[in-house]
Amino acid sequence: MVEQLTIQLIDGGSIPTSPLQLRVEVINKEMAHNIFRRWHYLGETDFISTIDFGASFDNRCVGALSFGSPNAKELYPYFDRHTQEGWYEIKRLAMEDECPKNSESRFIGIAIKLLRKAVKVRGIITYADSGVGHEGIIYRATGFEYKGLTDKKSDFWVNGAIQQRGKTKGIYGEWKPRSQKHLYVKVYG
């Protein structure tokens, strides 16, 4: 699956001068994870994806976008654990800072179009982390509907790191508030 331009644009040098110059295609997980380690604020943090897309310019990958099953098992009124099939979550998105304005939104739009050609998509959810100053402007530009902030939550920290799973009773650690996320939803009929 590849989305390419129908016209040849003038070469803008080592970085694209227009988001129209980006080529979007499916990439392997390793390539996507390398992009995220380099340019995403969560860096090395693992996650599970179903399908990964890369944005390239002049045969160089300048961004990655990963879709997977939603972490939320229930998102009223859209789905619950029994009706979640066909719902996807944008797990990660990262692009080189030198990419031109609107590159992220164009990348998201093309990747969604390719995802919908590959699988049945009932809807897509995504989050923008308020704790790092993200508001989700790129999701609004791509037609997602803003649904507000997620509920307040806390994480259990042990030795300077979040304890992802397991018991906390009897373990020396500290509960710290987690940043709230802006929730965006896009439904397909």
PDB file of all heavy atoms in Angstrom, residues 94-106:
ATOM      1  N   ALA A  94       5.115  10.292  15.224  1.00  0.00           N
ATOM      2  CA  ALA A  94       6.303  11.139  15.361  1.00  0.00           C
ATOM      3  C   ALA A  94       6.809  11.495  13.973  1.00  0.00           C
ATOM      4  O   ALA A  94       6.785  10.672  13.063  1.00  0.00           O
ATOM      5  CB  ALA A  94       7.402  10.410  16.140  1.00  0.00           C
ATOM      6  N   MET A  95       7.249  12.742  13.846  1.00  0.00           N
ATOM      7  CA  MET A  95       7.842  13.199  12.584  1.00  0.00           C
ATOM      8  C   MET A  95       9.044  14.063  12.901  1.00  0.00           C
ATOM      9  O   MET A  95       9.110  14.714  13.947  1.00  0.00           O
ATOM     10  CB  MET A  95       6.834  14.003  11.764  1.00  0.00           C
ATOM     11  CG  MET A  95       5.697  13.168  11.226  1.00  0.00           C
ATOM     12  SD  MET A  95       4.789  13.997   9.923  1.00  0.00           S
ATOM     13  CE  MET A  95       5.762  13.501   8.506  1.00  0.00           C
ATOM     14  N   GLU A  96       9.977  14.038  11.976  1.00  0.00           N
ATOM     15  CA  GLU A  96      11.164  14.882  12.076  1.00  0.00           C
ATOM     16  C   GLU A  96      10.708  16.351  12.179  1.00  0.00           C
ATOM     17  O   GLU A  96       9.802  16.781  11.469  1.00  0.00           O
ATOM     18  CB  GLU A  96      12.000  14.660  10.808  1.00  0.00           C
ATOM     19  CG  GLU A  96      13.369  15.233  10.867  1.00  0.00           C
ATOM     20  CD  GLU A  96      14.165  14.833   9.625  1.00  0.00           C
ATOM     21  OE1 GLU A  96      14.036  15.532   8.610  1.00  0.00           O
ATOM     22  OE2 GLU A  96      14.883  13.815   9.693  1.00  0.00           O
ATOM     23  N   ASP A  97      11.338  17.106  13.061  1.00  0.00           N
ATOM     24  CA  ASP A  97      10.952  18.508  13.283  1.00  0.00           C
ATOM     25  C   ASP A  97      11.052  19.360  12.027  1.00  0.00           C
ATOM     26  O   ASP A  97      10.324  20.342  11.883  1.00  0.00           O
ATOM     27  CB  ASP A  97      11.814  19.138  14.381  1.00  0.00           C
ATOM     28  CG  ASP A  97      11.442  18.648  15.772  1.00  0.00           C
ATOM     29  OD1 ASP A  97      10.317  18.149  15.943  1.00  0.00           O
ATOM     30  OD2 ASP A  97      12.284  18.762  16.689  1.00  0.00           O
ATOM     31  N   GLU A  98      11.937  19.010  11.109  1.00  0.00           N
ATOM     32  CA  GLU A  98      12.154  19.819   9.908  1.00  0.00           C
ATOM     33  C   GLU A  98      11.060  19.641   8.861  1.00  0.00           C
ATOM     34  O   GLU A  98      11.053  20.339   7.853  1.00  0.00           O
ATOM     35  CB  GLU A  98      13.519  19.514   9.284  1.00  0.00           C
ATOM     36  CG  GLU A  98      14.691  20.058  10.073  1.00  0.00           C
ATOM     37  CD  GLU A  98      15.009  19.233  11.326  1.00  0.00           C
ATOM     38  OE1 GLU A  98      14.649  18.034  11.377  1.00  0.00           O
ATOM     39  OE2 GLU A  98      15.596  19.795  12.263  1.00  0.00           O
ATOM     40  N   CYS A  99      10.131  18.705   9.073  1.00  0.00           N
ATOM     41  CA  CYS A  99       9.036  18.536   8.117  1.00  0.00           C
ATOM     42  C   CYS A  99       8.185  19.798   8.104  1.00  0.00           C
ATOM     43  O   CYS A  99       7.997  20.447   9.128  1.00  0.00           O
ATOM     44  CB  CYS A  99       8.175  17.329   8.492  1.00  0.00           C
ATOM     45  SG  CYS A  99       8.969  15.759   8.141  1.00  0.00           S
ATOM     46  N   PRO A 100       7.669  20.167   6.943  1.00  0.00           N
ATOM     47  CA  PRO A 100       6.903  21.413   6.836  1.00  0.00           C
ATOM     48  C   PRO A 100       5.582  21.369   7.603  1.00  0.00           C
ATOM     49  O   PRO A 100       5.080  20.303   7.957  1.00  0.00           O
ATOM     50  CB  PRO A 100       6.669  21.571   5.340  1.00  0.00           C
ATOM     51  CG  PRO A 100       6.913  20.248   4.746  1.00  0.00           C
ATOM     52  CD  PRO A 100       7.802  19.486   5.664  1.00  0.00           C
ATOM     53  N   LYS A 101       5.032  22.553   7.824  1.00  0.00           N
ATOM     54  CA  LYS A 101       3.747  22.716   8.484  1.00  0.00           C
ATOM     55  C   LYS A 101       2.704  21.841   7.792  1.00  0.00           C
ATOM     56  O   LYS A 101       2.730  21.686   6.573  1.00  0.00           O
ATOM     57  CB  LYS A 101       3.346  24.191   8.414  1.00  0.00           C
ATOM     58  CG  LYS A 101       2.095  24.536   9.151  1.00  0.00           C
ATOM     59  CD  LYS A 101       1.815  26.019   9.056  1.00  0.00           C
ATOM     60  CE  LYS A 101       0.534  26.339   9.798  1.00  0.00           C
ATOM     61  NZ  LYS A 101       0.188  27.738   9.725  1.00  0.00           N
ATOM     62  N   ASN A 102       1.821  21.261   8.574  1.00  0.00           N
ATOM     63  CA  ASN A 102       0.715  20.400   8.119  1.00  0.00           C
ATOM     64  C   ASN A 102       1.146  18.993   7.713  1.00  0.00           C
ATOM     65  O   ASN A 102       0.317  18.217   7.254  1.00  0.00           O
ATOM     66  CB  ASN A 102      -0.084  21.052   6.980  1.00  0.00           C
ATOM     67  CG  ASN A 102      -0.665  22.386   7.378  1.00  0.00           C
ATOM     68  OD1 ASN A 102      -1.071  22.575   8.527  1.00  0.00           O
ATOM     69  ND2 ASN A 102      -0.682  23.321   6.453  1.00  0.00           N
ATOM     70  N   SER A 103       2.409  18.645   7.880  1.00  0.00           N
ATOM     71  CA  SER A 103       2.867  17.296   7.523  1.00  0.00           C
ATOM     72  C   SER A 103       2.171  16.229   8.348  1.00  0.00           C
ATOM     73  O   SER A 103       1.769  15.188   7.816  1.00  0.00           O
ATOM     74  CB  SER A 103       4.382  17.177   7.693  1.00  0.00           C
ATOM     75  OG  SER A 103       5.058  17.979   6.760  1.00  0.00           O
ATOM     76  N   GLU A 104       2.028  16.463   9.652  1.00  0.00           N
ATOM     77  CA  GLU A 104       1.407  15.466  10.526  1.00  0.00           C
ATOM     78  C   GLU A 104      -0.032  15.191  10.105  1.00  0.00           C
ATOM     79  O   GLU A 104      -0.450  14.038  10.002  1.00  0.00           O
ATOM     80  CB  GLU A 104       1.460  15.902  11.998  1.00  0.00           C
ATOM     81  CG  GLU A 104       2.841  15.906  12.595  1.00  0.00           C
ATOM     82  CD  GLU A 104       3.592  17.220  12.397  1.00  0.00           C
ATOM     83  OE1 GLU A 104       3.120  18.086  11.611  1.00  0.00           O
ATOM     84  OE2 GLU A 104       4.658  17.378  13.014  1.00  0.00           O
ATOM     85  N   SER A 105      -0.800  16.259   9.878  1.00  0.00           N
ATOM     86  CA  SER A 105      -2.202  16.077   9.493  1.00  0.00           C
ATOM     87  C   SER A 105      -2.324  15.355   8.158  1.00  0.00           C
ATOM     88  O   SER A 105      -3.172  14.473   7.983  1.00  0.00           O
ATOM     89  CB  SER A 105      -2.913  17.430   9.429  1.00  0.00           C
ATOM     90  OG  SER A 105      -2.948  18.011  10.697  1.00  0.00           O
ATOM     91  N   ARG A 106      -1.486  15.704   7.204  1.00  0.00           N
ATOM     92  CA  ARG A 106      -1.514  15.017   5.902  1.00  0.00           C
ATOM     93  C   ARG A 106      -1.138  13.542   6.075  1.00  0.00           C
ATOM     94  O   ARG A 106      -1.783  12.663   5.495  1.00  0.00           O
ATOM     95  CB  ARG A 106      -0.568  15.692   4.916  1.00  0.00           C
ATOM     96  CG  ARG A 106      -0.544  14.987   3.567  1.00  0.00           C
ATOM     97  CD  ARG A 106       0.011  15.856   2.461  1.00  0.00           C
ATOM     98  NE  ARG A 106       0.169  15.120   1.242  1.00  0.00           N
ATOM     99  CZ  ARG A 106      -0.804  14.813   0.399  1.00  0.00           C
ATOM    100  NH1 ARG A 106      -2.032  15.188   0.654  1.00  0.00           N
ATOM    101  NH2 ARG A 106      -0.561  14.133  -0.717  1.00  0.00           N
TER     102      ARG A 106
END
